[in-house]
PDB file of all heavy atoms in Angstrom:
ATOM      1  N   MET A 822       0.830  -1.200   0.000  1.00 68.00           N
ATOM      2  CA  MET A 822       0.000   0.000   0.000  1.00 68.00           C
ATOM      3  C   MET A 822       0.868   1.256   0.000  1.00 68.00           C
ATOM      4  O   MET A 822       0.537   2.251  -0.658  1.00 68.00           O
ATOM      5  CB  MET A 822      -0.917  -0.005   1.220  1.00 68.00           C
ATOM      6  CG  MET A 822      -1.880   1.183   1.264  1.00 68.00           C
ATOM      7  SD  MET A 822      -2.937   1.275  -0.207  1.00 68.00           S
ATOM      8  CE  MET A 822      -3.906  -0.232   0.006  1.00 68.00           C
ATOM      9  N   SER A 823       2.012   1.222   0.707  1.00 72.00           N
ATOM     10  CA  SER A 823       2.920   2.374   0.717  1.00 72.00           C
ATOM     11  C   SER A 823       3.471   2.644  -0.678  1.00 72.00           C
ATOM     12  O   SER A 823       3.598   3.796  -1.101  1.00 72.00           O
ATOM     13  CB  SER A 823       4.072   2.133   1.699  1.00 72.00           C
ATOM     14  OG  SER A 823       3.586   2.002   3.013  1.00 72.00           O
ATOM     15  N   GLY A 824       3.803   1.553  -1.410  1.00 77.00           N
ATOM     16  CA  GLY A 824       4.262   1.734  -2.786  1.00 77.00           C
ATOM     17  C   GLY A 824       3.211   2.361  -3.671  1.00 77.00           C
ATOM     18  O   GLY A 824       3.516   3.257  -4.487  1.00 77.00           O
ATOM     19  N   LEU A 825       1.973   1.937  -3.517  1.00 85.00           N
ATOM     20  CA  LEU A 825       0.888   2.541  -4.293  1.00 85.00           C
ATOM     21  C   LEU A 825       0.683   4.006  -3.914  1.00 85.00           C
ATOM     22  O   LEU A 825       0.404   4.855  -4.775  1.00 85.00           O
ATOM     23  CB  LEU A 825      -0.405   1.749  -4.072  1.00 85.00           C
ATOM     24  CG  LEU A 825      -0.463   0.349  -4.680  1.00 85.00           C
ATOM     25  CD1 LEU A 825      -1.765  -0.342  -4.287  1.00 85.00           C
ATOM     26  CD2 LEU A 825      -0.345   0.425  -6.213  1.00 85.00           C
ATOM     27  N   VAL A 826       0.826   4.316  -2.635  1.00 84.00           N
ATOM     28  CA  VAL A 826       0.660   5.697  -2.181  1.00 84.00           C
ATOM     29  C   VAL A 826       1.731   6.585  -2.793  1.00 84.00           C
ATOM     30  O   VAL A 826       1.451   7.702  -3.256  1.00 84.00           O
ATOM     31  CB  VAL A 826       0.709   5.755  -0.638  1.00 84.00           C
ATOM     32  CG1 VAL A 826       0.892   7.185  -0.156  1.00 84.00           C
ATOM     33  CG2 VAL A 826      -0.553   5.170  -0.048  1.00 84.00           C
ATOM     34  N   VAL A 827       2.984   6.109  -2.809  1.00 86.00           N
ATOM     35  CA  VAL A 827       4.069   6.904  -3.400  1.00 86.00           C
ATOM     36  C   VAL A 827       3.813   7.138  -4.879  1.00 86.00           C
ATOM     37  O   VAL A 827       3.911   8.274  -5.375  1.00 86.00           O
ATOM     38  CB  VAL A 827       5.423   6.198  -3.172  1.00 86.00           C
ATOM     39  CG1 VAL A 827       6.521   6.902  -3.968  1.00 86.00           C
ATOM     40  CG2 VAL A 827       5.763   6.174  -1.691  1.00 86.00           C
ATOM     41  N   PHE A 828       3.495   6.078  -5.615  1.00 89.00           N
ATOM     42  CA  PHE A 828       3.239   6.208  -7.050  1.00 89.00           C
ATOM     43  C   PHE A 828       2.047   7.138  -7.313  1.00 89.00           C
ATOM     44  O   PHE A 828       2.105   8.025  -8.166  1.00 89.00           O
ATOM     45  CB  PHE A 828       2.974   4.836  -7.665  1.00 89.00           C
ATOM     46  CG  PHE A 828       2.639   4.886  -9.131  1.00 89.00           C
ATOM     47  CD1 PHE A 828       3.637   5.030 -10.081  1.00 89.00           C
ATOM     48  CD2 PHE A 828       1.315   4.802  -9.556  1.00 89.00           C
ATOM     49  CE1 PHE A 828       3.324   5.086 -11.436  1.00 89.00           C
ATOM     50  CE2 PHE A 828       0.994   4.849 -10.897  1.00 89.00           C
ATOM     51  CZ  PHE A 828       1.992   4.998 -11.848  1.00 89.00           C
ATOM     52  N   GLY A 829       0.957   6.942  -6.590  1.00 91.00           N
ATOM     53  CA  GLY A 829      -0.213   7.784  -6.780  1.00 91.00           C
ATOM     54  C   GLY A 829       0.039   9.227  -6.426  1.00 91.00           C
ATOM     55  O   GLY A 829      -0.476  10.144  -7.092  1.00 91.00           O
ATOM     56  N   SER A 830       0.853   9.488  -5.400  1.00 91.00           N
ATOM     57  CA  SER A 830       1.153  10.865  -4.997  1.00 91.00           C
ATOM     58  C   SER A 830       1.967  11.582  -6.059  1.00 91.00           C
ATOM     59  O   SER A 830       1.714  12.751  -6.374  1.00 91.00           O
ATOM     60  CB  SER A 830       1.906  10.856  -3.659  1.00 91.00           C
ATOM     61  OG  SER A 830       1.150  10.229  -2.651  1.00 91.00           O
ATOM     62  N   VAL A 831       2.967  10.886  -6.610  1.00 91.00           N
ATOM     63  CA  VAL A 831       3.773  11.489  -7.673  1.00 91.00           C
ATOM     64  C   VAL A 831       2.900  11.802  -8.886  1.00 91.00           C
ATOM     65  O   VAL A 831       2.966  12.908  -9.460  1.00 91.00           O
ATOM     66  CB  VAL A 831       4.939  10.554  -8.056  1.00 91.00           C
ATOM     67  CG1 VAL A 831       5.646  11.071  -9.307  1.00 91.00           C
ATOM     68  CG2 VAL A 831       5.919  10.433  -6.901  1.00 91.00           C
ATOM     69  N   ALA A 832       2.072  10.844  -9.292  1.00 93.00           N
ATOM     70  CA  ALA A 832       1.207  11.055 -10.450  1.00 93.00           C
ATOM     71  C   ALA A 832       0.226  12.196 -10.210  1.00 93.00           C
ATOM     72  O   ALA A 832      -0.010  13.034 -11.098  1.00 93.00           O
ATOM     73  CB  ALA A 832       0.450   9.765 -10.777  1.00 93.00           C
ATOM     74  N   PHE A 833      -0.334  12.259  -9.022  1.00 94.00           N
ATOM     75  CA  PHE A 833      -1.305  13.303  -8.696  1.00 94.00           C
ATOM     76  C   PHE A 833      -0.665  14.691  -8.769  1.00 94.00           C
ATOM     77  O   PHE A 833      -1.237  15.633  -9.330  1.00 94.00           O
ATOM     78  CB  PHE A 833      -1.868  13.042  -7.300  1.00 94.00           C
ATOM     79  CG  PHE A 833      -3.002  13.944  -6.923  1.00 94.00           C
ATOM     80  CD1 PHE A 833      -4.211  13.901  -7.601  1.00 94.00           C
ATOM     81  CD2 PHE A 833      -2.867  14.820  -5.863  1.00 94.00           C
ATOM     82  CE1 PHE A 833      -5.256  14.733  -7.234  1.00 94.00           C
ATOM     83  CE2 PHE A 833      -3.906  15.648  -5.498  1.00 94.00           C
ATOM     84  CZ  PHE A 833      -5.102  15.610  -6.187  1.00 94.00           C
ATOM     85  N   GLY A 834       0.537  14.829  -8.210  1.00 92.00           N
ATOM     86  CA  GLY A 834       1.225  16.116  -8.260  1.00 92.00           C
ATOM     87  C   GLY A 834       1.567  16.541  -9.673  1.00 92.00           C
ATOM     88  O   GLY A 834       1.425  17.714 -10.045  1.00 92.00           O
ATOM     89  N   LEU A 835       2.017  15.587 -10.499  1.00 92.00           N
ATOM     90  CA  LEU A 835       2.370  15.914 -11.883  1.00 92.00           C
ATOM     91  C   LEU A 835       1.140  16.282 -12.709  1.00 92.00           C
ATOM     92  O   LEU A 835       1.175  17.215 -13.525  1.00 92.00           O
ATOM     93  CB  LEU A 835       3.096  14.727 -12.522  1.00 92.00           C
ATOM     94  CG  LEU A 835       4.491  14.406 -11.978  1.00 92.00           C
ATOM     95  CD1 LEU A 835       5.026  13.141 -12.645  1.00 92.00           C
ATOM     96  CD2 LEU A 835       5.444  15.565 -12.213  1.00 92.00           C
ATOM     97  N   VAL A 836       0.053  15.561 -12.516  1.00 92.00           N
ATOM     98  CA  VAL A 836      -1.151  15.807 -13.309  1.00 92.00           C
ATOM     99  C   VAL A 836      -1.720  17.194 -13.027  1.00 92.00           C
ATOM    100  O   VAL A 836      -2.180  17.890 -13.945  1.00 92.00           O
ATOM    101  CB  VAL A 836      -2.204  14.717 -13.019  1.00 92.00           C
ATOM    102  CG1 VAL A 836      -3.568  15.115 -13.571  1.00 92.00           C
ATOM    103  CG2 VAL A 836      -1.768  13.389 -13.631  1.00 92.00           C
ATOM    104  N   LEU A 837      -1.683  17.627 -11.779  1.00 92.00           N
ATOM    105  CA  LEU A 837      -2.262  18.921 -11.430  1.00 92.00           C
ATOM    106  C   LEU A 837      -1.373  20.094 -11.817  1.00 92.00           C
ATOM    107  O   LEU A 837      -1.862  21.224 -11.952  1.00 92.00           O
ATOM    108  CB  LEU A 837      -2.531  18.979  -9.925  1.00 92.00           C
ATOM    109  CG  LEU A 837      -3.689  18.139  -9.403  1.00 92.00           C
ATOM    110  CD1 LEU A 837      -3.839  18.344  -7.908  1.00 92.00           C
ATOM    111  CD2 LEU A 837      -4.986  18.509 -10.114  1.00 92.00           C
ATOM    112  N   ALA A 838      -0.074  19.871 -11.994  1.00 89.00           N
ATOM    113  CA  ALA A 838       0.843  20.985 -12.243  1.00 89.00           C
ATOM    114  C   ALA A 838       0.541  21.687 -13.560  1.00 89.00           C
ATOM    115  O   ALA A 838       0.559  22.930 -13.628  1.00 89.00           O
ATOM    116  CB  ALA A 838       2.289  20.480 -12.224  1.00 89.00           C
ATOM    117  N   TRP A 839       0.263  20.936 -14.622  1.00 87.00           N
ATOM    118  CA  TRP A 839       0.088  21.568 -15.938  1.00 87.00           C
ATOM    119  C   TRP A 839      -1.134  22.482 -15.995  1.00 87.00           C
ATOM    120  O   TRP A 839      -1.008  23.649 -16.371  1.00 87.00           O
ATOM    121  CB  TRP A 839       0.018  20.499 -17.033  1.00 87.00           C
ATOM    122  CG  TRP A 839      -0.025  21.106 -18.405  1.00 87.00           C
ATOM    123  CD1 TRP A 839       1.028  21.528 -19.148  1.00 87.00           C
ATOM    124  CD2 TRP A 839      -1.201  21.366 -19.185  1.00 87.00           C
ATOM    125  NE1 TRP A 839       0.603  22.037 -20.346  1.00 87.00           N
ATOM    126  CE2 TRP A 839      -0.767  21.955 -20.396  1.00 87.00           C
ATOM    127  CE3 TRP A 839      -2.560  21.157 -18.983  1.00 87.00           C
ATOM    128  CZ2 TRP A 839      -1.657  22.333 -21.391  1.00 87.00           C
ATOM    129  CZ3 TRP A 839      -3.442  21.542 -19.969  1.00 87.00           C
ATOM    130  CH2 TRP A 839      -3.000  22.125 -21.163  1.00 87.00           C
ATOM    131  N   PRO A 840      -2.349  22.027 -15.621  1.00 90.00           N
ATOM    132  CA  PRO A 840      -3.494  22.938 -15.720  1.00 90.00           C
ATOM    133  C   PRO A 840      -3.377  24.142 -14.789  1.00 90.00           C
ATOM    134  O   PRO A 840      -3.798  25.249 -15.137  1.00 90.00           O
ATOM    135  CB  PRO A 840      -4.697  22.054 -15.351  1.00 90.00           C
ATOM    136  CG  PRO A 840      -4.133  20.904 -14.609  1.00 90.00           C
ATOM    137  CD  PRO A 840      -2.778  20.682 -15.177  1.00 90.00           C
ATOM    138  N   ILE A 841      -2.795  23.953 -13.594  1.00 89.00           N
ATOM    139  CA  ILE A 841      -2.674  25.084 -12.674  1.00 89.00           C
ATOM    140  C   ILE A 841      -1.660  26.095 -13.195  1.00 89.00           C
ATOM    141  O   ILE A 841      -1.862  27.318 -13.078  1.00 89.00           O
ATOM    142  CB  ILE A 841      -2.291  24.575 -11.275  1.00 89.00           C
ATOM    143  CG1 ILE A 841      -3.475  23.804 -10.677  1.00 89.00           C
ATOM    144  CG2 ILE A 841      -1.898  25.724 -10.352  1.00 89.00           C
ATOM    145  CD1 ILE A 841      -3.210  23.199  -9.325  1.00 89.00           C
ATOM    146  N   SER A 842      -0.575  25.620 -13.805  1.00 85.00           N
ATOM    147  CA  SER A 842       0.385  26.558 -14.388  1.00 85.00           C
ATOM    148  C   SER A 842      -0.233  27.347 -15.532  1.00 85.00           C
ATOM    149  O   SER A 842       0.041  28.541 -15.699  1.00 85.00           O
ATOM    150  CB  SER A 842       1.629  25.800 -14.879  1.00 85.00           C
ATOM    151  OG  SER A 842       1.312  24.974 -15.991  1.00 85.00           O
ATOM    152  N   ARG A 843      -1.100  26.707 -16.313  1.00 83.00           N
ATOM    153  CA  ARG A 843      -1.799  27.419 -17.385  1.00 83.00           C
ATOM    154  C   ARG A 843      -2.760  28.460 -16.811  1.00 83.00           C
ATOM    155  O   ARG A 843      -2.870  29.571 -17.318  1.00 83.00           O
ATOM    156  CB  ARG A 843      -2.571  26.420 -18.243  1.00 83.00           C
ATOM    157  CG  ARG A 843      -1.727  25.357 -18.908  1.00 83.00           C
ATOM    158  CD  ARG A 843      -1.016  25.857 -20.126  1.00 83.00           C
ATOM    159  NE  ARG A 843      -1.945  26.226 -21.188  1.00 83.00           N
ATOM    160  CZ  ARG A 843      -1.554  26.666 -22.387  1.00 83.00           C
ATOM    161  NH1 ARG A 843      -0.255  26.766 -22.652  1.00 83.00           N
ATOM    162  NH2 ARG A 843      -2.432  26.991 -23.305  1.00 83.00           N
ATOM    163  N   PHE A 844      -3.436  28.087 -15.735  1.00 86.00           N
ATOM    164  CA  PHE A 844      -4.401  29.005 -15.137  1.00 86.00           C
ATOM    165  C   PHE A 844      -3.699  30.221 -14.541  1.00 86.00           C
ATOM    166  O   PHE A 844      -4.237  31.342 -14.587  1.00 86.00           O
ATOM    167  CB  PHE A 844      -5.203  28.271 -14.057  1.00 86.00           C
ATOM    168  CG  PHE A 844      -6.266  29.115 -13.413  1.00 86.00           C
ATOM    169  CD1 PHE A 844      -7.461  29.362 -14.067  1.00 86.00           C
ATOM    170  CD2 PHE A 844      -6.053  29.665 -12.159  1.00 86.00           C
ATOM    171  CE1 PHE A 844      -8.438  30.136 -13.474  1.00 86.00           C
ATOM    172  CE2 PHE A 844      -7.023  30.437 -11.560  1.00 86.00           C
ATOM    173  CZ  PHE A 844      -8.222  30.675 -12.224  1.00 86.00           C
ATOM    174  N   MET A 845      -2.497  30.035 -13.992  1.00 82.00           N
ATOM    175  CA  MET A 845      -1.797  31.142 -13.346  1.00 82.00           C
ATOM    176  C   MET A 845      -1.350  32.210 -14.329  1.00 82.00           C
ATOM    177  O   MET A 845      -1.023  33.329 -13.926  1.00 82.00           O
ATOM    178  CB  MET A 845      -0.590  30.613 -12.566  1.00 82.00           C
ATOM    179  CG  MET A 845      -0.960  29.900 -11.284  1.00 82.00           C
ATOM    180  SD  MET A 845       0.468  29.649 -10.206  1.00 82.00           S
ATOM    181  CE  MET A 845       0.897  31.345  -9.834  1.00 82.00           C
ATOM    182  N   ARG A 846      -1.343  31.907 -15.624  1.00 79.00           N
ATOM    183  CA  ARG A 846      -0.979  32.918 -16.609  1.00 79.00           C
ATOM    184  C   ARG A 846      -1.974  34.071 -16.644  1.00 79.00           C
ATOM    185  O   ARG A 846      -1.646  35.161 -17.103  1.00 79.00           O
ATOM    186  CB  ARG A 846      -0.906  32.286 -18.003  1.00 79.00           C
ATOM    187  CG  ARG A 846       0.137  31.198 -18.148  1.00 79.00           C
ATOM    188  CD  ARG A 846       0.175  30.681 -19.568  1.00 79.00           C
ATOM    189  NE  ARG A 846       1.081  29.549 -19.722  1.00 79.00           N
ATOM    190  CZ  ARG A 846       1.351  28.957 -20.878  1.00 79.00           C
ATOM    191  NH1 ARG A 846       0.761  29.394 -21.990  1.00 79.00           N
ATOM    192  NH2 ARG A 846       2.187  27.948 -20.937  1.00 79.00           N
ATOM    193  N   HIS A 847      -3.179  33.841 -16.159  1.00 80.00           N
ATOM    194  CA  HIS A 847      -4.218  34.865 -16.257  1.00 80.00           C
ATOM    195  C   HIS A 847      -4.141  35.883 -15.123  1.00 80.00           C
ATOM    196  O   HIS A 847      -4.869  36.875 -15.169  1.00 80.00           O
ATOM    197  CB  HIS A 847      -5.600  34.197 -16.259  1.00 80.00           C
ATOM    198  CG  HIS A 847      -5.803  33.248 -17.411  1.00 80.00           C
ATOM    199  ND1 HIS A 847      -5.962  33.669 -18.714  1.00 80.00           N
ATOM    200  CD2 HIS A 847      -5.849  31.886 -17.455  1.00 80.00           C
ATOM    201  CE1 HIS A 847      -6.110  32.619 -19.511  1.00 80.00           C
ATOM    202  NE2 HIS A 847      -6.039  31.522 -18.764  1.00 80.00           N
ATOM    203  N   PHE A 848      -3.285  35.644 -14.135  1.00 83.00           N
ATOM    204  CA  PHE A 848      -3.159  36.622 -13.055  1.00 83.00           C
ATOM    205  C   PHE A 848      -2.297  37.785 -13.517  1.00 83.00           C
ATOM    206  O   PHE A 848      -1.229  37.597 -14.095  1.00 83.00           O
ATOM    207  CB  PHE A 848      -2.531  35.976 -11.810  1.00 83.00           C
ATOM    208  CG  PHE A 848      -3.459  35.062 -11.068  1.00 83.00           C
ATOM    209  CD1 PHE A 848      -3.353  33.681 -11.193  1.00 83.00           C
ATOM    210  CD2 PHE A 848      -4.444  35.584 -10.256  1.00 83.00           C
ATOM    211  CE1 PHE A 848      -4.207  32.835 -10.511  1.00 83.00           C
ATOM    212  CE2 PHE A 848      -5.313  34.739  -9.572  1.00 83.00           C
ATOM    213  CZ  PHE A 848      -5.197  33.372  -9.694  1.00 83.00           C
ATOM    214  N   GLU A 849      -2.755  38.999 -13.216  1.00 79.00           N
ATOM    215  CA  GLU A 849      -2.020  40.197 -13.622  1.00 79.00           C
ATOM    216  C   GLU A 849      -1.561  41.022 -12.434  1.00 79.00           C
ATOM    217  O   GLU A 849      -0.823  41.993 -12.612  1.00 79.00           O
ATOM    218  CB  GLU A 849      -2.892  41.055 -14.540  1.00 79.00           C
ATOM    219  CG  GLU A 849      -3.260  40.360 -15.852  1.00 79.00           C
ATOM    220  CD  GLU A 849      -4.121  41.231 -16.743  1.00 79.00           C
ATOM    221  OE1 GLU A 849      -4.511  42.323 -16.281  1.00 79.00           O
ATOM    222  OE2 GLU A 849      -4.401  40.803 -17.887  1.00 79.00           O
ATOM    223  N   GLU A 850      -2.012  40.702 -11.242  1.00 83.00           N
ATOM    224  CA  GLU A 850      -1.575  41.432 -10.058  1.00 83.00           C
ATOM    225  C   GLU A 850      -0.999  40.456  -9.037  1.00 83.00           C
ATOM    226  O   GLU A 850      -1.459  39.318  -8.905  1.00 83.00           O
ATOM    227  CB  GLU A 850      -2.730  42.224  -9.448  1.00 83.00           C
ATOM    228  CG  GLU A 850      -3.940  41.385  -9.096  1.00 83.00           C
ATOM    229  CD  GLU A 850      -5.017  42.212  -8.426  1.00 83.00           C
ATOM    230  OE1 GLU A 850      -4.717  43.351  -8.046  1.00 83.00           O
ATOM    231  OE2 GLU A 850      -6.146  41.718  -8.280  1.00 83.00           O
ATOM    232  N   ALA A 851       0.015  40.943  -8.321  1.00 82.00           N
ATOM    233  CA  ALA A 851       0.764  40.060  -7.427  1.00 82.00           C
ATOM    234  C   ALA A 851      -0.084  39.580  -6.256  1.00 82.00           C
ATOM    235  O   ALA A 851       0.029  38.423  -5.836  1.00 82.00           O
ATOM    236  CB  ALA A 851       2.009  40.780  -6.917  1.00 82.00           C
ATOM    237  N   SER A 852      -0.923  40.437  -5.700  1.00 85.00           N
ATOM    238  CA  SER A 852      -1.673  40.048  -4.505  1.00 85.00           C
ATOM    239  C   SER A 852      -2.579  38.855  -4.773  1.00 85.00           C
ATOM    240  O   SER A 852      -2.592  37.888  -4.004  1.00 85.00           O
ATOM    241  CB  SER A 852      -2.501  41.235  -4.002  1.00 85.00           C
ATOM    242  OG  SER A 852      -3.363  41.717  -5.030  1.00 85.00           O
ATOM    243  N   SER A 853      -3.331  38.885  -5.883  1.00 88.00           N
ATOM    244  CA  SER A 853      -4.221  37.761  -6.212  1.00 88.00           C
ATOM    245  C   SER A 853      -3.413  36.501  -6.502  1.00 88.00           C
ATOM    246  O   SER A 853      -3.803  35.395  -6.097  1.00 88.00           O
ATOM    247  CB  SER A 853      -5.092  38.116  -7.414  1.00 88.00           C
ATOM    248  OG  SER A 853      -5.903  39.232  -7.137  1.00 88.00           O
ATOM    249  N   ALA A 854      -2.297  36.656  -7.207  1.00 87.00           N
ATOM    250  CA  ALA A 854      -1.477  35.493  -7.555  1.00 87.00           C
ATOM    251  C   ALA A 854      -0.919  34.817  -6.307  1.00 87.00           C
ATOM    252  O   ALA A 854      -0.915  33.582  -6.197  1.00 87.00           O
ATOM    253  CB  ALA A 854      -0.340  35.911  -8.485  1.00 87.00           C
ATOM    254  N   VAL A 855      -0.432  35.609  -5.344  1.00 89.00           N
ATOM    255  CA  VAL A 855       0.163  35.030  -4.135  1.00 89.00           C
ATOM    256  C   VAL A 855      -0.911  34.356  -3.280  1.00 89.00           C
ATOM    257  O   VAL A 855      -0.685  33.272  -2.716  1.00 89.00           O
ATOM    258  CB  VAL A 855       0.907  36.113  -3.331  1.00 89.00           C
ATOM    259  CG1 VAL A 855       1.369  35.561  -1.990  1.00 89.00           C
ATOM    260  CG2 VAL A 855       2.101  36.630  -4.123  1.00 89.00           C
ATOM    261  N   ILE A 856      -2.086  34.976  -3.179  1.00 91.00           N
ATOM    262  CA  ILE A 856      -3.182  34.331  -2.440  1.00 91.00           C
ATOM    263  C   ILE A 856      -3.531  32.992  -3.079  1.00 91.00           C
ATOM    264  O   ILE A 856      -3.749  31.987  -2.382  1.00 91.00           O
ATOM    265  CB  ILE A 856      -4.409  35.262  -2.411  1.00 91.00           C
ATOM    266  CG1 ILE A 856      -4.121  36.491  -1.541  1.00 91.00           C
ATOM    267  CG2 ILE A 856      -5.634  34.519  -1.876  1.00 91.00           C
ATOM    268  CD1 ILE A 856      -5.200  37.538  -1.590  1.00 91.00           C
ATOM    269  N   PHE A 857      -3.567  32.953  -4.400  1.00 92.00           N
ATOM    270  CA  PHE A 857      -3.857  31.704  -5.110  1.00 92.00           C
ATOM    271  C   PHE A 857      -2.771  30.668  -4.843  1.00 92.00           C
ATOM    272  O   PHE A 857      -3.058  29.485  -4.642  1.00 92.00           O
ATOM    273  CB  PHE A 857      -3.984  31.979  -6.605  1.00 92.00           C
ATOM    274  CG  PHE A 857      -4.316  30.768  -7.422  1.00 92.00           C
ATOM    275  CD1 PHE A 857      -5.615  30.288  -7.480  1.00 92.00           C
ATOM    276  CD2 PHE A 857      -3.335  30.101  -8.140  1.00 92.00           C
ATOM    277  CE1 PHE A 857      -5.923  29.164  -8.226  1.00 92.00           C
ATOM    278  CE2 PHE A 857      -3.633  28.982  -8.889  1.00 92.00           C
ATOM    279  CZ  PHE A 857      -4.934  28.516  -8.936  1.00 92.00           C
ATOM    280  N   GLN A 858      -1.508  31.091  -4.823  1.00 90.00           N
ATOM    281  CA  GLN A 858      -0.401  30.167  -4.576  1.00 90.00           C
ATOM    282  C   GLN A 858      -0.511  29.523  -3.195  1.00 90.00           C
ATOM    283  O   GLN A 858      -0.340  28.304  -3.046  1.00 90.00           O
ATOM    284  CB  GLN A 858       0.929  30.906  -4.715  1.00 90.00           C
ATOM    285  CG  GLN A 858       1.257  31.339  -6.133  1.00 90.00           C
ATOM    286  CD  GLN A 858       2.403  32.334  -6.176  1.00 90.00           C
ATOM    287  OE1 GLN A 858       3.070  32.571  -5.167  1.00 90.00           O
ATOM    288  NE2 GLN A 858       2.621  32.941  -7.333  1.00 90.00           N
ATOM    289  N   PHE A 859      -0.789  30.320  -2.178  1.00 92.00           N
ATOM    290  CA  PHE A 859      -0.928  29.763  -0.836  1.00 92.00           C
ATOM    291  C   PHE A 859      -2.164  28.877  -0.738  1.00 92.00           C
ATOM    292  O   PHE A 859      -2.145  27.827  -0.070  1.00 92.00           O
ATOM    293  CB  PHE A 859      -0.986  30.880   0.203  1.00 92.00           C
ATOM    294  CG  PHE A 859       0.361  31.398   0.610  1.00 92.00           C
ATOM    295  CD1 PHE A 859       0.890  32.534   0.037  1.00 92.00           C
ATOM    296  CD2 PHE A 859       1.109  30.733   1.559  1.00 92.00           C
ATOM    297  CE1 PHE A 859       2.133  33.019   0.404  1.00 92.00           C
ATOM    298  CE2 PHE A 859       2.365  31.201   1.942  1.00 92.00           C
ATOM    299  CZ  PHE A 859       2.877  32.348   1.361  1.00 92.00           C
TER     300      PHE A 859
END
């Protein structure tokens, strides 16, 4: 189960990175972008 958790965690992090990086392009002010990052 630990092996599955490690594999699933890596895949989950990689899958979410691309759409969120695309979405962050639409921020034009630092305050909103930093709130979104946190």
